Amino acid sequence: MEPPDPIPMSALQHAVYCLRQAALIHLERLWADNRFTAEGHVLHAVTDRPGGRRARGIRRASGLALASRRLGIAGIADLVEFHLSQDGETPYPVEYKRGKAKLHRADEVQLCAQGLCLEEMTGRPVPAGALFYAQTKRRVEVPFDADLRALTEQTVADLRAVFDARATPPAIYRADRCRACSLSELCRPKQLARPVLAWRARQIEQLLLPEPPS
Amino acid sequence: MRKLLNTLYVTTEGAALRKDGENLVAEVEGAERARVPFHMLGSVVAFGPVLVSPALMGACAANGISLVLLDRVDRFQARVEGPVAGNVLLRRAQYAASEAPDDIVRSLVMGKVANQRSVLLRHLRDHGEGDGQEPAEAISAVCERLARILQRLAAGLTGLDHLRGAEGEAAQLYFSVFGHLVRSPDPEIRFLGRSRRPPLDPVNAVLSFLYTLLTHDCRSAAESVGLDPAVGFLHRDRPGRPSLALDLMEELRPVLADRLALSLLNRRQLRARDFETRDGGGVLLTEEGRRTVLTAWQERKREERLHPFLDEKAPLGLVPYLQAQFLSRHLRGDLDAYPPWFWK
Ligand code: SF4
């Protein structure tokens, strides 16, 4: 039997934010090309160039294809640095993000997934990576601790379940999330919470009320 | 709210459309007559002999702009389609639902009958007294019977044949009094009962033309949410027929097309001279007449109304897209039914 298609690692950040959002984008292929996503593409077009460069004991590889058979995920890393130490090279993924650090852990999970892939691919521990935020031009180091690893594996499992069932999870409206969601107009979480059958019956009832005398 | 993108209608014979950078350029006899950036364009509809460059076709496909060619008598000829066509999971759901479409058909017919009735009631309210007693009574009687059809639909009338029958009965009732709604002082502007292919009077000529425009918009709406425009619920599948587009159009017709036709004729924006009679009795809009309709159509699409289910104001031109979107969310299991668009 064919192994299942790997889950694209770029879906993980969406899945942390909202599992439905990940399904709409990666399963149903709905895509709201708003300003944010467009800028994201441009940024990636710049950083996706494969090839390597050397600097001060650090070997750098950009556009590296990563995968984990154990987790069933795959994707392309913006940049992986290999830090030279006495016992060899330690991989250190660096992911570029537009804007600044976010309150939720989506970016960290995506990065940690890269770390897990690198561990499996190189057989060496990958203790940390970094997120580079375009707006603040700063690197933030992210340690891959037990918590983050668990969250990452859980996110992969949740996505796997959604992909296998080919079922988009129902919308649950949450103002803090949905208002900032680029897919809200395709998702329409508020309307989806409304039972249509009852609404339709009420509409017809109202339409058939006798006209008020004018 | 999603932007209402422009539709470019090209009616001038011999016009040439080409790509220039990120723009569409329309030329007539070598002179530039229009220039529209691709990002502001939703679709292009070319009537009759219009030249379209291959580079422009490619750009339309790449930018998700639907490009449609109609012949001299507004029949569909061809459409340019891009590489991403449809959401396969959604289409599977659509095909599955088309095997047992009762409740979707119920919604579509409810929306249509309710809106037909609203058009008639609105006429009674605005002009009932000027009409004289007999027409007003006839229209009221039809409204009564349409109300009873709605009750039957709401009470759970089942079976596709019955649902389709209710739709047919309503259409017949509605068009039996539609002539009373035509108040043009021009004696030639009369409605002799619904006729198509060819339309046999000016009112039918305008209706047919508007239905063509609306079909095109509904088809684009279905495609833009990933639905297959050829597989319908109310309309039976037939090769070459955009059955789903026709389905989506049903509930919108009375308001978007019929009312617009009436206001163009009754306000004498269209007069007898805007029509020509062909051999065999078919009546068509002249080129000038079409231009009047197209301008009014574009304006009407920009008008905002409360969308009853969305519970927000939306331009009328966006309603086909919103309805297609709600249909797709129903098919994917997010909504327990398809919410009709009720005009109020
Ligand atoms: S609008 Fe809300 S529920 Fe819908 S995808 Fe976005 S975050 Fe998720």
Side-chain angles (χ1 to χ4, degrees):
Chain A
M1 203 181 84
E2 253 186 282
D5 286 341
I7 286 177
M9 278 196 275
S10 55
L12 295 174
Q13 49 175 327
H14 298 125
V16 175
Y17 189 74
C18 168
L19 203 53
R20 176 172 170 86
Q21 189 199 60
L24 291 175
I25 295 173
H26 299 275
L27 192 63
E28 302 206 19
R29 304 280 163 165
L30 295 183
W31 190 253
D33 230 338
N34 63 11
R35 195 170 57 85
F36 300 101
T37 59
E39 283 177 24
H41 289 315
V42 175
L43 198 60
H44 278 94
V46 174
T47 54
D48 259 358
R49 270 189 307 244
R53 233 175 354 140
R54 277 182 178 281
R56 285 179 264 107
I58 298 176
R59 193 165 60 85
R60 312 171 120 191
S62 54
L64 204 60
L66 303 181
S68 157
R69 290 179 77 93
R70 179 177 68 86
L71 291 170
I73 58 179
I76 307 277
D78 283 341
L79 175 69
V80 179
E81 296 180 346
F82 292 90
H83 293 204
L84 195 63
S85 58
Q86 267 137 359
D87 59 340
E89 285 185 327
T90 301
Y92 186 86
V94 182
E95 187 66 15
Y96 286 74
K97 292 290 169 192
R98 70 171 295 284
K100 50 188 177 197
K102 303 177 187 67
L103 294 171
H104 49 80
R105 307 194 73 187
D107 294 345
E108 290 161 61
V109 164
Q110 195 193 3
L111 186 71
C112 180
Q114 296 180 4
L116 296 176
C117 289
L118 284 162
E119 283 183 345
E120 191 177 308
M121 291 165 78
T122 64
R124 296 179 57 92
V126 179
L131 291 165
F132 178 84
Y133 288 100
Q135 196 174 323
T136 47
K137 295 205 171 54
R138 292 184 62 160
R139 268 194 186 200
V140 181
E141 174 150 303
V142 178
F144 300 150
D145 58 23
D147 260 12
L148 182 56
R149 284 167 189 263
L151 176 61
T152 304
E153 302 223 357
Q154 186 58 51
T155 306
V156 172
D158 291 347
L159 255 185
R160 169 68 61 206
V162 166
F163 278 33
D164 285 351
R166 289 179 168 66
T168 306
I172 296 161
Y173 181 76
R174 253 177 50 193
D176 57 334
R177 244 178 16 181
C178 298
R179 255 193 243 134
C181 172
S182 59
L183 285 194
S184 63
E185 286 199 359
L186 293 167
C187 169
R188 304 222 178 265
K190 274 189 182 166
Q191 283 78 31
L192 299 192
R194 200 188 296 170
V196 180
L197 283 169
W199 173 86
R200 190 176 70 183
R202 269 200 317 279
Q203 293 283 313
I204 294 282
E205 226 170 81
Q206 282 172 15
L207 277 167
L208 294 182
L209 287 179
E211 290 257 304
S214 49
Chain B
M1 177 66 68
R2 184 189 147 108
K3 260 196 316 210
L4 183 60
L5 293 168
N6 296 311
T7 304
L8 182 73
Y9 296 103
V10 185
T11 54
T12 315
E13 274 192 29
L17 307 180
R18 62 179 177 86
K19 171 182 186 294
D20 181 22
E22 291 303 301
N23 301 286
L24 175 151
V25 169
E27 290 173 344
V28 180
E29 285 164 8
E32 184 173 318
R33 293 273 288 274
R35 173 175 286 263
V36 194
F38 290 138
H39 69 89
M40 289 172 63
L41 204 55
S43 55
V44 179
V45 183
F47 295 88
V50 171
L51 293 167
V52 182
S53 80
L56 179 66
M57 289 187 199
C60 285
N63 287 288
I65 299 167
S66 74
L67 169 62
V68 180
L69 309 182
L70 304 177
D71 70 6
R72 277 173 205 271
V73 286
D74 310 330
R75 273 183 317 222
F76 177 81
Q77 275 190 306
R79 146 186 307 269
V80 170
E81 222 172 80
V84 272
N87 163 347
V88 65
L89 299 173
L90 175 60
R91 288 190 175 198
R92 276 189 188 281
Q94 180 186 356
Y95 303 149
S98 73
E99 302 292 325
D102 274 40
D103 198 65
I104 294 175
V105 172
R106 185 193 321 284
S107 278
L108 293 167
V109 178
M110 272 181 174
K112 179 175 186 185
V113 177
N115 292 338
Q116 287 174 326
R117 180 169 167 274
S118 297
V119 166
L120 298 180
L121 286 173
R122 176 66 65 95
H123 172 86
L124 281 179
R125 207 179 69 199
D126 294 348
H127 306 289
E129 306 203 330
D131 271 357
Q133 203 180 351
E134 206 185 311
E137 274 173 9
I139 297 172
S140 299
V142 166
C143 289
E144 260 305 302
R145 293 184 62 186
L146 293 179
R148 257 178 273 140
I149 294 176
L150 277 175
Q151 274 160 348
R152 257 159 56 208
L153 289 165
L157 178 74
T158 51
L160 272 183
D161 288 344
H162 291 128
L163 289 163
R164 289 184 176 128
E167 189 271 329
E169 188 189 338
Q172 214 208 329
L173 285 164
Y174 171 76
F175 281 114
S176 75
V177 291
F178 192 76
H180 295 312
L181 277 54
V182 180
R183 309 170 70 251
S184 169
D186 293 8
E188 295 94 332
I189 307 286
R190 284 293 163 263
F191 181 74
L192 309 168
R194 182 79 185 109
S195 55
R196 305 178 292 163
R197 273 174 261 163
L200 297 173
D201 58 51
V203 179
N204 276 293
V206 188
L207 289 178
S208 290
F209 185 57
L210 284 168
Y211 294 161
T212 302
L213 299 178
L214 187 54
T215 310
H216 162 68
D217 284 5
C218 289
R219 181 174 179 147
S220 299
E223 269 167 1
S224 77
V225 302
L227 288 162
D228 184 342
V231 175
F233 304 103
L234 173 59
H235 287 84
R236 291 188 181 87
D237 299 345
R238 192 195 294 157
R241 173 152 89 168
S243 298
L244 180 65
L246 299 176
D247 282 1
L248 286 171
M249 177 170 132
E250 288 297 346
E251 54 184 353
L252 310 178
R253 263 157 72 146
V255 179
L256 267 64
D258 302 355
R259 269 178 56 84
L260 181 59
L262 289 169
S263 78
L264 283 168
L265 295 164
N266 292 347
R267 294 193 192 138
R268 295 192 85 199
Q269 283 165 276
L270 286 175
R271 304 176 180 209
R273 58 158 193 252
D274 291 311
F275 299 91
E276 56 198 11
T277 305
R278 294 288 176 88
D279 294 334
V283 177
L284 287 181
L285 279 156
T286 62
E287 180 159 347
E288 187 57 39
R290 276 186 190 182
R291 208 167 293 149
T292 305
V293 177
L294 287 169
T295 310
W297 173 248
Q298 298 277 51
E299 279 168 15
R300 180 62 53 102
K301 283 205 280 189
R302 280 194 285 271
E303 271 174 33
E304 297 215 333
R305 289 217 150 246
L306 182 78
H307 185 289
F309 186 70
L310 186 63
D311 207 16
E312 273 172 37
K313 276 197 163 179
L316 283 175
L318 217 49
V319 174
Y321 167 77
L322 292 169
Q323 293 306 108
Q325 198 183 45
F326 286 130
L327 178 60
S328 75
R329 292 329 313 169
H330 167 55
L331 291 170
R332 289 292 286 145
D334 284 331
L335 291 171
D336 59 342
Y338 166 70
W341 181 70
F342 294 112
W343 177 66
K344 292 187 212 173

